[in-house]
Amino acid sequence: MEWDSLNELNERVVACKSCERLAEFREHVLENSKKYSDVKFWRKPLTGYGDISGRIMIIGLAPAASGGNRTGRVFTGDKSSDFLISCLKNAGLTNQETSTSKDDGLQYIDSYITLAVRCVPPENKPERSEVLNCNGFLIQELKFMKNLNTIIVLGKIAFDSLVYALKEMGVNTKGWKFGNGNFYLANEIGVFCIFHPSPRNVNTGRITREKFIELLNGAREFSLSKSLKP
Ligand code: SF4
């Protein structure tokens, strides 16, 4: 199915209940939490956010229970967001270092961020069928990004969802494999693979801030260099 505008697509996203398991989970996760007893949760799917006419797309995994499922915006209000947004700022891709709530003034520069799966999954582990259910939304966003020349995937599930989408769009992804720092070309579009900035990856040292920023800078430089070509 195709949608004529991003607004129309986003209306469909927010109303989506295609995955029974996730639609049920997003409604009830953390509902007995004392920490959030006075907080009204979003509890709906998340749309992408940022500059749809930008040149860079960033794809994450899914909302966090206390992050996007609470605040209603992708990568907002949790530990992964703290790490990611401060690194994006360092690489020149956001206007500020923090992402705490929908009205905090965060803007993405020349970039748009979205998710492989738009509803919070139990234990952050969506099923393959759920990634596929959500894939049509990603395909549509890819089509809406008319200036796209660079894609950054954060983690294996984001990578897999991109590969599903590209195959559907007729792009040859034969031999592609996720790995931190891996790079591929999807026709002329550069695809950069980076570990997901989850607390587990950060706290265990699997990713460091320096390496993460270095990879983001590589993607940004690629995007700028493509833009300079006649
Ligand atoms: S994960 Fe995607 S396809 Fe599944 S219910 Fe949420 S928005 Fe719909």
Side-chain angles (χ1 to χ4, degrees):
M1 194 182 293
E2 299 248 347
W3 293 280
D4 291 336
S5 71
L6 185 62
N7 283 345
E8 196 188 340
L9 172 70
N10 287 344
E11 282 174 20
R12 298 290 182 124
V13 168
V14 170
C16 184
K17 294 184 177 176
S18 293
C19 309
E20 208 174 304
R21 183 181 83 115
L22 301 189
E24 170 75 14
F25 188 69
R26 75 190 187 212
E27 290 289 332
H28 298 291
V29 62
L30 292 178
E31 66 184 353
N32 296 322
S33 161
K34 280 189 186 158
K35 183 175 177 187
Y36 298 112
S37 58
D38 295 334
V39 177
K40 185 163 170 36
F41 274 51
W42 170 252
R43 301 200 180 284
K44 286 182 260 189
L46 296 188
T47 66
Y49 183 72
D51 181 5
I52 198 73
S53 60
R55 287 171 288 198
I56 300 175
M57 174 184 268
I58 304 160
I59 309 174
L61 166 54
S66 63
N69 196 53
R70 173 174 63 88
T71 61
R73 191 177 70 189
V74 55
F75 279 105
T76 300
D78 62 356
K79 296 272 185 221
S80 299
S81 320
D82 292 345
F83 183 90
L84 176 66
I85 306 304
S86 73
C87 293
L88 289 175
K89 169 71 168 79
N90 196 293
L93 293 171
T94 60
N95 68 328
Q96 61 187 44
E97 291 195 337
T98 57
S99 174
T100 54
S101 69
K102 270 183 163 181
D103 57 2
D104 62 5
L106 175 66
Q107 291 172 21
Y108 282 74
I109 298 167
D110 201 19
S111 55
Y112 178 88
I113 190 160
T114 192
L115 294 167
V117 174
R118 287 144 205 275
C119 296
V120 52
E123 297 174 20
N124 297 319
K125 287 182 187 155
E127 292 171 0
R128 184 172 179 272
S129 62
E130 292 162 346
V131 178
L132 288 169
N133 275 351
C134 223
N135 210 236
F137 297 138
L138 176 63
I139 290 172
Q140 193 62 58
E141 288 172 315
L142 286 162
K143 290 180 179 173
F144 280 144
M145 290 195 75
K146 300 295 181 202
N147 299 318
L148 183 69
N149 64 20
T150 302
I151 302 172
I152 298 168
V153 286
L154 301 174
K156 168 87 166 59
I157 292 173
F159 175 80
D160 288 346
S161 82
L162 176 66
V163 169
Y164 297 147
L166 291 177
K167 278 185 181 164
E168 193 67 28
M169 295 166 81
V171 177
N172 183 3
T173 58
K174 196 165 178 226
W176 287 28
K177 197 175 159 197
F178 180 78
N180 197 40
N182 284 4
F183 170 77
Y184 299 101
L185 273 176
N187 297 337
E188 292 290 304
I189 297 171
V191 175
F192 292 78
C193 306
I194 308 183
F195 283 146
H196 190 279
S198 64
R200 184 188 299 172
N201 281 341
V202 174
N203 295 340
T204 58
R206 194 167 186 232
I207 55 174
T208 63
R209 184 176 163 77
E210 292 70 27
K211 181 69 181 172
F212 199 86
I213 291 171
E214 180 191 318
L215 293 171
L216 289 178
N217 279 333
R220 179 105 168 106
E221 280 162 23
F222 174 88
S223 175
L224 291 172
S225 71
K226 292 288 285 182
S227 309
L228 291 174
K229 285 190 180 158

